[in-house]
Amino acid sequence: MPATPKAPASQNAVFLPVIENAEAQGRIILVCEHASNHIPPDWGDLGLTPAQRIAHIAWDPGALAVSRGLAQRLDAVLIHAPVSRLVYDCNRAPDMSGAMPARSELHDIPGNATISAAERLARTEAVYLPWANGLHALIAKRIALGLRPVVITIHSFTPIYHGKPRQVEFGVIHDADPHLSVAILNAARKLTGLQAELNAPYSAADDVTHTLRVQATPYGLPNAMLEIRNDLIATAEAAEAMADQLAAVLNMGLVEIQRQAKAS
């Protein structure tokens, strides 16, 4: 039986986002909210089995590896969250049920079943606020340097969801501004053999664009959310190969929106 979940022992714990390649000169900021499946000891094991703690419900397998590969190829800065999305999903606002979900797909999360308002605040202060403030600071500093950031979030998704296979292999999701997402989609269809779709397997209507909506849209920054089917990036070698493909795709997408901006 899984251990009984416990409330945080240290209400003052703070989990800062990890920033890599901070001196990058490229415009792209790569964001990986679901990079880690780490559950700090303060939260016990949330009542999960060892298998659940390494499953997709706890993180986005392969997303960090692809993000790191893209950061190297694009001279991009990378920011990623250090704890599991089951403790706090950094792509969700504190009032969203998915921020600290009691259930994820087919799995109950016992440690999240009866969270008090005080516990929600403790997790928000420990995980979400350091993340949101850290990402905002990164964006603001690069704006001040004249780099005019392009914000791209990197995620992975399961080949089977609620028992149904997903044919899409690469999804590009937009918030209010579709221009970069459409340019990336067209580039993916031109340069790769991936089954690429717009606003799949999720869309903004599913409340998955919180980071873009809060961090990029208010500044009018080009932005997009990328979703990669995780069976395509299940090994280090596969993640590197995907980064090779997507680096070219992102470069072409950026060139296209720059051309559009000049023509307007």
Side-chain angles (χ1 to χ4, degrees):
M1 293 289 292
T4 302
K6 56 183 180 180
S10 172
Q11 299 295 324
N12 297 317
V14 171
F15 299 92
L16 297 173
V18 180
I19 298 176
E20 300 181 13
N21 204 22
E23 303 305 316
Q25 294 303 300
R27 291 179 61 195
I28 293 176
I29 295 177
L30 297 167
V31 181
C32 196
E33 300 102 320
H34 304 153
S36 176
N37 65 345
H38 175 58
I39 300 176
D42 282 353
W43 284 281
D45 57 16
L46 296 180
L48 303 174
T49 66
Q52 287 174 317
R53 291 185 62 170
I54 62 172
H56 179 78
I57 60 169
W59 63 325
D60 280 357
L64 180 58
V66 173
S67 298
R68 284 174 166 158
L70 287 171
Q72 293 171 357
R73 288 161 175 81
L74 299 171
D75 192 24
V77 63
L78 165 62
I79 182 169
H80 55 93
V83 302
S84 170
R85 63 174 165 202
L86 295 179
V87 175
Y88 192 106
D89 186 334
C90 289
N91 193 30
R92 301 292 188 275
D95 62 340
M96 293 180 176
S97 61
M100 294 157 263
R103 186 173 177 82
S104 181
E105 194 181 347
L106 303 175
H107 303 268
D108 291 321
I109 316 299
N112 292 348
T114 56
I115 302 177
S116 67
E119 289 169 340
R120 293 184 70 86
L121 176 60
R123 294 199 199 182
T124 300
E125 292 180 328
V127 182
Y128 176 74
L129 290 180
W131 165 262
N133 293 336
L135 176 54
H136 181 256
L138 178 61
I139 290 171
K141 288 175 183 178
R142 294 178 76 81
I143 289 174
L145 289 170
L147 293 173
R148 197 61 184 165
V150 174
V151 180
I152 297 179
T153 64
I154 310 292
H155 295 260
S156 70
F157 64 95
T158 57
I160 298 174
Y161 187 66
H162 285 283
K164 295 182 179 180
R166 288 163 156 168
Q167 299 305 315
V168 59
E169 297 176 320
F170 178 59
V172 192
I173 298 162
H174 65 79
D175 187 49
D177 179 2
H179 290 88
L180 180 58
S181 293
V182 171
I184 291 172
L185 176 71
N186 291 337
R189 288 175 170 172
K190 183 173 183 178
L191 298 179
T192 78
L194 295 169
Q195 178 63 40
E197 298 181 17
L198 188 66
N199 292 324
Y202 313 106
S203 75
D206 300 305
D207 287 329
V208 297
T209 58
H210 172 71
T211 295
L212 301 181
R213 185 174 301 151
V214 171
Q215 301 280 4
T217 297
Y219 283 113
L221 300 176
N223 63 85
M225 176 179 178
L226 308 187
E227 284 276 4
I228 308 161
R229 209 174 67 192
N230 67 25
D231 59 321
L232 303 177
I233 51 174
T235 66
E237 295 77 14
E240 283 292 302
M242 183 63 70
D244 270 337
Q245 291 191 79
L246 295 187
V249 166
L250 295 182
N251 274 328
M252 180 177 282
L254 285 179
V255 168
E256 174 57 20
I257 63 166
Q258 288 166 357
R259 184 197 66 77
Q260 292 174 7
K262 289 179 180 178
S264 63

